[in-house]
Amino acid sequence: MIATRLVARAALIVGSFLTTPTAQAQPPADFTRTDLQHHDLSAPRREAVQVRVDIAPGKAFGRHTHPGEEIIYVLAGTLEYDVDGRAPATLKAGDVLFIPAGTIHAAKNVGNVTASELATYIVEKDKPLLTLVK
């Protein structure tokens, strides 16, 4: 019985050493969106959507639009926003940005750590939240 327990423990220890390097070797995602909440509003055919967006250093999310307003709060890192009709804006943690409905814009992480933003959308229901633009 004791020998069986020792063999089982040894197998677990060896197994943990074999799986740990594999997990650490996988590169982080360049871009992730985490849905936080989604609610109907009292305004007809409108909804609020809130997501966390994480962008790896040097990576960008290309030009796109939304069927409503976007309100951005930068949580971490440094992001450069290119909003049509405006000069590029570089924002850091604690900064905010308002993007009017239908305005073409893009974001790029210009820092050396993963940048994160809290994006709140006030958008038309039953439309795609995001449309890519060439």
Side-chain angles (χ1 to χ4, degrees):
M1 183 75 132
I2 294 174
T4 303
R5 286 185 188 163
L6 287 175
V7 170
R9 286 184 187 161
L12 286 173
I13 292 169
V14 169
S16 70
F17 284 117
L18 292 175
T19 59
T20 301
T22 302
Q24 291 175 346
Q26 294 178 2
D30 291 342
F31 174 84
T32 57
R33 289 176 64 100
T34 305
D35 291 337
L36 301 173
Q37 57 181 327
H38 188 215
H39 299 284
D40 290 341
L41 296 176
S42 59
R45 301 195 33 78
R46 291 289 203 191
E47 62 186 350
V49 178
Q50 197 168 51
V51 301
R52 178 186 173 119
V53 180
D54 298 294
I55 303 174
K59 300 300 178 180
F61 192 84
R63 294 166 44 86
H64 62 281
T65 64
H66 305 285
E69 291 76 15
E70 180 179 11
I71 303 159
I72 296 169
Y73 176 78
V74 179
L75 298 168
T78 306
L79 291 164
E80 181 179 272
Y81 294 91
D82 184 8
V83 180
D84 277 10
R86 301 184 198 171
T90 302
L91 280 66
K92 62 185 182 338
D95 291 340
V96 296
L97 181 67
F98 177 83
I99 300 175
T103 302
I104 298 172
H105 60 286
K108 180 178 182 180
N109 182 345
V110 294
N112 56 8
V113 300
T114 297
S116 303
E117 71 175 27
L118 177 64
T120 303
Y121 306 97
I122 306 300
V123 293
E124 291 181 55
K125 290 179 74 168
D126 303 322
K127 289 200 174 183
L129 182 60
L130 183 140
T131 302
L132 294 176
V133 177
K134 291 184 179 186

